[in-house]
């Protein structure tokens, strides 16, 4: 029997990224919606993710946290979905997946919080400065439909989410390349299914 797969999430969170990836894989999974605070900080959930943050998935006795890791884990665990990289795609896949989870995430959050890195300290900061990070992010998708080239992979779920959220909330200024890429990845049926499920969960809670 297949190991049970469970998503711990809140529909108003980065858990939407994990949901999208799960829908891309087409596998069966159970969803546990956690309220922030009483749910995400409960002893039961802290036993799964001591960070007290969603999303997390459990797969049998395994736990995976961190959206980018969840995307990579599911792509490799369910290879029939065709979302893991080929040998030829691997360099771009890991490069841009980790770039989005590290420098891009930090640059966007710091900018949203108004954290200014002094010019003389940018060498200490993994993303250097926001403008350069955004320009490099644009270069990843400027001359190709997806980060690995012509084929959509799990890296696009994560990179696409960072870009899509950034454009939606105004935390990444738009560019023609970012907008076109976001529209391309958001047109996927799995994204629409995942969004509908999370939107329904929000409506049910209100
Ligand atoms: N690095 C984590 C970040 C997860 C995260 O920050 N989740 C937020 C919601 S978007 C959360 O659970 N916040 C509730 C809290 O910290 O109490 C990931 O990529 O999955």
């Amino acid at each position: 029997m297949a190991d049970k797969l469970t998503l711990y999430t809140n529909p108003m969170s980065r858990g939407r990224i994990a949901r999208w990836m799960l829908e891309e894989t087409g596998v069966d999974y159970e969803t546990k919606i956690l309220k922030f605070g009483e749910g995400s900080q409960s002893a039961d959930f802290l036993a799964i993710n001591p960070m007290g943050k969603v999303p997390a998935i459990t797969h049998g006795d395994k736990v995976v946290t961190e959206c980018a890791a969840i995307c990579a884990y599911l792509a490799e665990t369910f290879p029939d979905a065709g979302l893991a990289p080929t040998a030829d795609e691997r360099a771009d896949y890991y490069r841009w997946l980790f770039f989005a989870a590290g420098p891009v995430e930090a640059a966007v959050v710091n900018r949203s919080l108004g954290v200014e890195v002094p010019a003389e300290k940018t060498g200490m900061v993994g993303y250097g400065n926001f403008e350069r990070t955004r320009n490099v992010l644009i270069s990843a998708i400027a001359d190709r439909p997806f980060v690995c080239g012509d084929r959509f992979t799990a890296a696009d779920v994560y990179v696409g989410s960072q870009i899509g959220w950034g454009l939606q909330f105004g935390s990444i200024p738009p560019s023609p390349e970012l907008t076109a890429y976001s529209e391309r990845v958001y047109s996927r049926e799995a994204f629409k299914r995942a969004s509908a499920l999370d939107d329904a969960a929000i409506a049910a809670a209100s």
Side-chain angles (χ1 to χ4, degrees):
M1 203 173 84
D3 284 334
K4 186 173 171 191
L5 190 53
T6 303
L7 168 67
Y8 296 82
T9 189
N10 180 293
M12 286 194 284
S13 79
R14 291 169 174 88
R16 294 178 81 104
I17 304 172
R19 167 93 80 180
W20 178 9
M21 184 62 203
L22 282 160
E23 290 295 321
E24 290 283 354
T25 64
V27 294
D28 287 334
Y29 64 95
E30 177 190 25
T31 304
K32 292 203 191 268
I33 304 273
L34 303 182
K35 287 188 179 165
F36 291 123
E38 66 186 78
S40 59
Q41 305 303 319
S42 67
D44 283 353
F45 185 63
L46 288 173
I48 292 168
N49 185 6
M51 288 293 286
K53 286 184 176 287
V54 289
I57 62 166
T58 53
H59 186 209
D61 61 359
K62 312 256 185 318
V63 175
V64 190
T65 64
E66 305 306 313
C67 291
I70 291 170
C71 290
Y73 175 83
L74 292 173
E76 286 177 33
T77 305
F78 301 103
D80 290 351
L83 297 167
T86 62
D88 203 38
E89 293 166 336
R90 204 169 288 144
D92 286 331
Y93 178 91
Y94 284 114
R95 178 183 180 190
W96 298 118
L97 182 62
F98 281 76
F99 183 72
V104 172
E105 160 94 14
V108 170
V109 170
N110 275 353
R111 182 170 181 270
S112 301
L113 294 174
V115 175
E116 293 277 350
V117 178
E120 71 279 10
K121 302 279 188 197
T122 56
M124 292 173 62
V125 177
Y127 65 87
N129 65 57
F130 178 85
E131 277 316 316
R132 180 172 288 194
T133 303
R134 175 177 171 272
N135 288 339
V136 172
L137 181 63
I138 291 171
S139 78
I141 43 91
D143 62 350
R144 43 180 51 198
F146 303 109
V147 298
C148 293
D150 291 333
R151 208 175 65 86
F152 180 92
T153 66
D156 294 293
V157 173
Y158 190 77
V159 174
S161 296
Q162 287 283 9
I163 291 175
W165 283 51
L167 296 179
Q168 182 183 349
F169 294 111
S171 51
I172 301 179
S175 77
E177 298 89 347
L178 292 173
T179 303
Y181 173 76
S182 178
E183 287 173 357
R184 193 175 307 127
V185 296
Y186 275 10
S187 70
R188 293 187 61 87
E189 290 307 316
F191 174 79
K192 293 179 197 165
R193 276 199 309 278
S195 297
L197 288 166
D198 278 324
D199 290 347
I202 292 171
S206 58

PDB file of all heavy atoms in Angstrom, residues 23-48:
ATOM      1  N   GLU A  23      -0.989  19.079  -6.668  1.00  0.00           N
ATOM      2  CA  GLU A  23      -1.938  18.941  -7.787  1.00  0.00           C
ATOM      3  C   GLU A  23      -1.197  18.623  -9.086  1.00  0.00           C
ATOM      4  O   GLU A  23      -1.704  17.886  -9.928  1.00  0.00           O
ATOM      5  CB  GLU A  23      -2.784  20.215  -7.925  1.00  0.00           C
ATOM      6  CG  GLU A  23      -3.791  20.410  -6.790  1.00  0.00           C
ATOM      7  CD  GLU A  23      -4.873  19.327  -6.772  1.00  0.00           C
ATOM      8  OE1 GLU A  23      -5.330  18.913  -7.845  1.00  0.00           O
ATOM      9  OE2 GLU A  23      -5.250  18.883  -5.670  1.00  0.00           O
ATOM     10  N   GLU A  24       0.009  19.159  -9.243  1.00  0.00           N
ATOM     11  CA  GLU A  24       0.799  18.829 -10.438  1.00  0.00           C
ATOM     12  C   GLU A  24       1.158  17.344 -10.482  1.00  0.00           C
ATOM     13  O   GLU A  24       1.214  16.741 -11.550  1.00  0.00           O
ATOM     14  CB  GLU A  24       2.099  19.656 -10.478  1.00  0.00           C
ATOM     15  CG  GLU A  24       1.924  21.135 -10.753  1.00  0.00           C
ATOM     16  CD  GLU A  24       1.662  21.445 -12.236  1.00  0.00           C
ATOM     17  OE1 GLU A  24       1.731  20.529 -13.069  1.00  0.00           O
ATOM     18  OE2 GLU A  24       1.383  22.620 -12.531  1.00  0.00           O
ATOM     19  N   THR A  25       1.415  16.754  -9.311  1.00  0.00           N
ATOM     20  CA  THR A  25       1.827  15.341  -9.296  1.00  0.00           C
ATOM     21  C   THR A  25       0.653  14.414  -9.580  1.00  0.00           C
ATOM     22  O   THR A  25       0.849  13.285 -10.024  1.00  0.00           O
ATOM     23  CB  THR A  25       2.437  14.935  -7.938  1.00  0.00           C
ATOM     24  OG1 THR A  25       1.432  15.052  -6.942  1.00  0.00           O
ATOM     25  CG2 THR A  25       3.640  15.775  -7.584  1.00  0.00           C
ATOM     26  N   GLY A  26      -0.562  14.885  -9.260  1.00  0.00           N
ATOM     27  CA  GLY A  26      -1.742  14.059  -9.499  1.00  0.00           C
ATOM     28  C   GLY A  26      -1.921  12.931  -8.491  1.00  0.00           C
ATOM     29  O   GLY A  26      -2.746  12.035  -8.710  1.00  0.00           O
ATOM     30  N   VAL A  27      -1.180  12.954  -7.389  1.00  0.00           N
ATOM     31  CA  VAL A  27      -1.313  11.876  -6.399  1.00  0.00           C
ATOM     32  C   VAL A  27      -2.419  12.223  -5.390  1.00  0.00           C
ATOM     33  O   VAL A  27      -2.817  13.387  -5.249  1.00  0.00           O
ATOM     34  CB  VAL A  27       0.017  11.625  -5.646  1.00  0.00           C
ATOM     35  CG1 VAL A  27       1.068  11.096  -6.597  1.00  0.00           C
ATOM     36  CG2 VAL A  27       0.494  12.880  -4.938  1.00  0.00           C
ATOM     37  N   ASP A  28      -2.884  11.195  -4.692  1.00  0.00           N
ATOM     38  CA  ASP A  28      -3.887  11.417  -3.644  1.00  0.00           C
ATOM     39  C   ASP A  28      -3.205  11.957  -2.398  1.00  0.00           C
ATOM     40  O   ASP A  28      -2.139  11.471  -2.015  1.00  0.00           O
ATOM     41  CB  ASP A  28      -4.586  10.102  -3.284  1.00  0.00           C
ATOM     42  CG  ASP A  28      -5.532   9.676  -4.376  1.00  0.00           C
ATOM     43  OD1 ASP A  28      -6.010  10.552  -5.117  1.00  0.00           O
ATOM     44  OD2 ASP A  28      -5.763   8.466  -4.493  1.00  0.00           O
ATOM     45  N   TYR A  29      -3.826  12.929  -1.786  1.00  0.00           N
ATOM     46  CA  TYR A  29      -3.289  13.438  -0.529  1.00  0.00           C
ATOM     47  C   TYR A  29      -4.443  13.952   0.332  1.00  0.00           C
ATOM     48  O   TYR A  29      -5.498  14.321  -0.177  1.00  0.00           O
ATOM     49  CB  TYR A  29      -2.260  14.563  -0.768  1.00  0.00           C
ATOM     50  CG  TYR A  29      -2.839  15.800  -1.422  1.00  0.00           C
ATOM     51  CD1 TYR A  29      -3.262  16.897  -0.653  1.00  0.00           C
ATOM     52  CD2 TYR A  29      -2.982  15.892  -2.813  1.00  0.00           C
ATOM     53  CE1 TYR A  29      -3.794  18.033  -1.251  1.00  0.00           C
ATOM     54  CE2 TYR A  29      -3.515  17.020  -3.412  1.00  0.00           C
ATOM     55  CZ  TYR A  29      -3.915  18.089  -2.630  1.00  0.00           C
ATOM     56  OH  TYR A  29      -4.455  19.208  -3.216  1.00  0.00           O
ATOM     57  N   GLU A  30      -4.168  13.942   1.623  1.00  0.00           N
ATOM     58  CA  GLU A  30      -5.146  14.480   2.570  1.00  0.00           C
ATOM     59  C   GLU A  30      -4.699  15.893   2.946  1.00  0.00           C
ATOM     60  O   GLU A  30      -3.498  16.174   2.973  1.00  0.00           O
ATOM     61  CB  GLU A  30      -5.150  13.588   3.816  1.00  0.00           C
ATOM     62  CG  GLU A  30      -6.064  14.045   4.919  1.00  0.00           C
ATOM     63  CD  GLU A  30      -5.847  13.257   6.211  1.00  0.00           C
ATOM     64  OE1 GLU A  30      -4.726  12.731   6.401  1.00  0.00           O
ATOM     65  OE2 GLU A  30      -6.775  13.198   7.009  1.00  0.00           O
ATOM     66  N   THR A  31      -5.675  16.762   3.211  1.00  0.00           N
ATOM     67  CA  THR A  31      -5.330  18.138   3.594  1.00  0.00           C
ATOM     68  C   THR A  31      -5.736  18.392   5.035  1.00  0.00           C
ATOM     69  O   THR A  31      -6.868  18.082   5.417  1.00  0.00           O
ATOM     70  CB  THR A  31      -6.059  19.151   2.694  1.00  0.00           C
ATOM     71  OG1 THR A  31      -5.740  18.873   1.336  1.00  0.00           O
ATOM     72  CG2 THR A  31      -5.645  20.577   3.029  1.00  0.00           C
ATOM     73  N   LYS A  32      -4.828  18.931   5.810  1.00  0.00           N
ATOM     74  CA  LYS A  32      -5.181  19.386   7.160  1.00  0.00           C
ATOM     75  C   LYS A  32      -4.957  20.894   7.195  1.00  0.00           C
ATOM     76  O   LYS A  32      -3.811  21.365   7.062  1.00  0.00           O
ATOM     77  CB  LYS A  32      -4.329  18.675   8.210  1.00  0.00           C
ATOM     78  CG  LYS A  32      -4.660  17.187   8.309  1.00  0.00           C
ATOM     79  CD  LYS A  32      -4.256  16.637   9.651  1.00  0.00           C
ATOM     80  CE  LYS A  32      -4.328  15.128   9.696  1.00  0.00           C
ATOM     81  NZ  LYS A  32      -5.522  14.540  10.145  1.00  0.00           N
ATOM     82  N   ILE A  33      -6.071  21.611   7.327  1.00  0.00           N
ATOM     83  CA  ILE A  33      -5.998  23.075   7.392  1.00  0.00           C
ATOM     84  C   ILE A  33      -5.731  23.478   8.850  1.00  0.00           C
ATOM     85  O   ILE A  33      -6.472  23.071   9.752  1.00  0.00           O
ATOM     86  CB  ILE A  33      -7.318  23.708   6.922  1.00  0.00           C
ATOM     87  CG1 ILE A  33      -7.673  23.233   5.508  1.00  0.00           C
ATOM     88  CG2 ILE A  33      -7.283  25.226   7.057  1.00  0.00           C
ATOM     89  CD1 ILE A  33      -7.104  24.014   4.379  1.00  0.00           C
ATOM     90  N   LEU A  34      -4.700  24.264   9.020  1.00  0.00           N
ATOM     91  CA  LEU A  34      -4.353  24.723  10.368  1.00  0.00           C
ATOM     92  C   LEU A  34      -4.594  26.220  10.468  1.00  0.00           C
ATOM     93  O   LEU A  34      -4.188  26.979   9.584  1.00  0.00           O
ATOM     94  CB  LEU A  34      -2.879  24.456  10.669  1.00  0.00           C
ATOM     95  CG  LEU A  34      -2.378  23.019  10.548  1.00  0.00           C
ATOM     96  CD1 LEU A  34      -0.914  22.950  10.944  1.00  0.00           C
ATOM     97  CD2 LEU A  34      -3.193  22.090  11.441  1.00  0.00           C
ATOM     98  N   LYS A  35      -5.235  26.631  11.543  1.00  0.00           N
ATOM     99  CA  LYS A  35      -5.329  28.067  11.806  1.00  0.00           C
ATOM    100  C   LYS A  35      -3.974  28.531  12.315  1.00  0.00           C
ATOM    101  O   LYS A  35      -3.281  27.798  13.030  1.00  0.00           O
ATOM    102  CB  LYS A  35      -6.381  28.339  12.888  1.00  0.00           C
ATOM    103  CG  LYS A  35      -7.793  28.145  12.394  1.00  0.00           C
ATOM    104  CD  LYS A  35      -8.774  28.615  13.460  1.00  0.00           C
ATOM    105  CE  LYS A  35     -10.190  28.423  12.937  1.00  0.00           C
ATOM    106  NZ  LYS A  35     -11.201  28.503  13.976  1.00  0.00           N
ATOM    107  N   PHE A  36      -3.604  29.782  11.950  1.00  0.00           N
ATOM    108  CA  PHE A  36      -2.383  30.327  12.511  1.00  0.00           C
ATOM    109  C   PHE A  36      -2.571  30.469  14.020  1.00  0.00           C
ATOM    110  O   PHE A  36      -3.631  30.869  14.488  1.00  0.00           O
ATOM    111  CB  PHE A  36      -2.044  31.682  11.895  1.00  0.00           C
ATOM    112  CG  PHE A  36      -1.635  31.571  10.442  1.00  0.00           C
ATOM    113  CD1 PHE A  36      -2.305  32.279   9.467  1.00  0.00           C
ATOM    114  CD2 PHE A  36      -0.584  30.745  10.074  1.00  0.00           C
ATOM    115  CE1 PHE A  36      -1.925  32.172   8.131  1.00  0.00           C
ATOM    116  CE2 PHE A  36      -0.200  30.634   8.746  1.00  0.00           C
ATOM    117  CZ  PHE A  36      -0.870  31.343   7.770  1.00  0.00           C
ATOM    118  N   GLY A  37      -1.536  30.156  14.765  1.00  0.00           N
ATOM    119  CA  GLY A  37      -1.636  30.261  16.218  1.00  0.00           C
ATOM    120  C   GLY A  37      -2.073  28.938  16.798  1.00  0.00           C
ATOM    121  O   GLY A  37      -1.253  28.015  16.921  1.00  0.00           O
ATOM    122  N   GLU A  38      -3.369  28.807  17.056  1.00  0.00           N
ATOM    123  CA  GLU A  38      -3.832  27.597  17.768  1.00  0.00           C
ATOM    124  C   GLU A  38      -3.516  26.313  16.993  1.00  0.00           C
ATOM    125  O   GLU A  38      -3.274  25.264  17.596  1.00  0.00           O
ATOM    126  CB  GLU A  38      -5.337  27.679  18.060  1.00  0.00           C
ATOM    127  CG  GLU A  38      -6.213  27.657  16.832  1.00  0.00           C
ATOM    128  CD  GLU A  38      -7.697  27.895  17.139  1.00  0.00           C
ATOM    129  OE1 GLU A  38      -8.071  29.064  17.350  1.00  0.00           O
ATOM    130  OE2 GLU A  38      -8.445  26.921  17.151  1.00  0.00           O
ATOM    131  N   GLY A  39      -3.512  26.396  15.667  1.00  0.00           N
ATOM    132  CA  GLY A  39      -3.196  25.203  14.873  1.00  0.00           C
ATOM    133  C   GLY A  39      -1.715  25.059  14.593  1.00  0.00           C
ATOM    134  O   GLY A  39      -1.100  24.017  14.842  1.00  0.00           O
ATOM    135  N   SER A  40      -1.117  26.140  14.084  1.00  0.00           N
ATOM    136  CA  SER A  40       0.283  26.034  13.662  1.00  0.00           C
ATOM    137  C   SER A  40       1.249  25.967  14.854  1.00  0.00           C
ATOM    138  O   SER A  40       2.388  25.525  14.694  1.00  0.00           O
ATOM    139  CB  SER A  40       0.654  27.200  12.740  1.00  0.00           C
ATOM    140  OG  SER A  40       0.458  28.438  13.384  1.00  0.00           O
ATOM    141  N   GLN A  41       0.780  26.414  16.017  1.00  0.00           N
ATOM    142  CA  GLN A  41       1.645  26.352  17.204  1.00  0.00           C
ATOM    143  C   GLN A  41       1.221  25.237  18.164  1.00  0.00           C
ATOM    144  O   GLN A  41       1.707  25.180  19.302  1.00  0.00           O
ATOM    145  CB  GLN A  41       1.633  27.702  17.954  1.00  0.00           C
ATOM    146  CG  GLN A  41       2.021  28.894  17.080  1.00  0.00           C
ATOM    147  CD  GLN A  41       3.393  28.750  16.431  1.00  0.00           C
ATOM    148  OE1 GLN A  41       4.335  28.279  17.064  1.00  0.00           O
ATOM    149  NE2 GLN A  41       3.511  29.131  15.165  1.00  0.00           N
ATOM    150  N   SER A  42       0.324  24.364  17.730  1.00  0.00           N
ATOM    151  CA  SER A  42      -0.127  23.279  18.617  1.00  0.00           C
ATOM    152  C   SER A  42       1.002  22.264  18.809  1.00  0.00           C
ATOM    153  O   SER A  42       1.892  22.134  17.951  1.00  0.00           O
ATOM    154  CB  SER A  42      -1.339  22.571  18.004  1.00  0.00           C
ATOM    155  OG  SER A  42      -0.950  21.899  16.823  1.00  0.00           O
ATOM    156  N   ALA A  43       0.921  21.543  19.912  1.00  0.00           N
ATOM    157  CA  ALA A  43       1.964  20.543  20.198  1.00  0.00           C
ATOM    158  C   ALA A  43       2.004  19.491  19.093  1.00  0.00           C
ATOM    159  O   ALA A  43       3.090  19.054  18.673  1.00  0.00           O
ATOM    160  CB  ALA A  43       1.696  19.891  21.560  1.00  0.00           C
ATOM    161  N   ASP A  44       0.821  19.124  18.577  1.00  0.00           N
ATOM    162  CA  ASP A  44       0.790  18.100  17.518  1.00  0.00           C
ATOM    163  C   ASP A  44       1.535  18.566  16.283  1.00  0.00           C
ATOM    164  O   ASP A  44       2.286  17.817  15.666  1.00  0.00           O
ATOM    165  CB  ASP A  44      -0.663  17.786  17.122  1.00  0.00           C
ATOM    166  CG  ASP A  44      -1.340  16.891  18.146  1.00  0.00           C
ATOM    167  OD1 ASP A  44      -0.640  16.420  19.070  1.00  0.00           O
ATOM    168  OD2 ASP A  44      -2.562  16.679  18.025  1.00  0.00           O
ATOM    169  N   PHE A  45       1.311  19.838  15.895  1.00  0.00           N
ATOM    170  CA  PHE A  45       1.971  20.302  14.677  1.00  0.00           C
ATOM    171  C   PHE A  45       3.448  20.614  14.932  1.00  0.00           C
ATOM    172  O   PHE A  45       4.292  20.367  14.062  1.00  0.00           O
ATOM    173  CB  PHE A  45       1.260  21.523  14.072  1.00  0.00           C
ATOM    174  CG  PHE A  45       1.875  21.927  12.757  1.00  0.00           C
ATOM    175  CD1 PHE A  45       1.856  21.062  11.668  1.00  0.00           C
ATOM    176  CD2 PHE A  45       2.525  23.148  12.617  1.00  0.00           C
ATOM    177  CE1 PHE A  45       2.470  21.415  10.450  1.00  0.00           C
ATOM    178  CE2 PHE A  45       3.131  23.513  11.401  1.00  0.00           C
ATOM    179  CZ  PHE A  45       3.100  22.640  10.327  1.00  0.00           C
ATOM    180  N   LEU A  46       3.767  21.125  16.113  1.00  0.00           N
ATOM    181  CA  LEU A  46       5.182  21.397  16.404  1.00  0.00           C
ATOM    182  C   LEU A  46       6.010  20.115  16.381  1.00  0.00           C
ATOM    183  O   LEU A  46       7.213  20.139  16.105  1.00  0.00           O
ATOM    184  CB  LEU A  46       5.325  22.114  17.749  1.00  0.00           C
ATOM    185  CG  LEU A  46       4.846  23.576  17.747  1.00  0.00           C
ATOM    186  CD1 LEU A  46       4.864  24.145  19.171  1.00  0.00           C
ATOM    187  CD2 LEU A  46       5.699  24.456  16.829  1.00  0.00           C
ATOM    188  N   ALA A  47       5.337  18.983  16.630  1.00  0.00           N
ATOM    189  CA  ALA A  47       6.050  17.694  16.541  1.00  0.00           C
ATOM    190  C   ALA A  47       6.399  17.387  15.084  1.00  0.00           C
ATOM    191  O   ALA A  47       7.346  16.650  14.795  1.00  0.00           O
ATOM    192  CB  ALA A  47       5.188  16.583  17.131  1.00  0.00           C
ATOM    193  N   ILE A  48       5.628  17.954  14.165  1.00  0.00           N
ATOM    194  CA  ILE A  48       5.910  17.761  12.722  1.00  0.00           C
ATOM    195  C   ILE A  48       6.878  18.826  12.231  1.00  0.00           C
ATOM    196  O   ILE A  48       7.887  18.528  11.597  1.00  0.00           O
ATOM    197  CB  ILE A  48       4.584  17.806  11.924  1.00  0.00           C
ATOM    198  CG1 ILE A  48       3.758  16.570  12.276  1.00  0.00           C
ATOM    199  CG2 ILE A  48       4.832  17.876  10.417  1.00  0.00           C
ATOM    200  CD1 ILE A  48       2.327  16.622  11.800  1.00  0.00           C
TER     201      ILE A  48
END
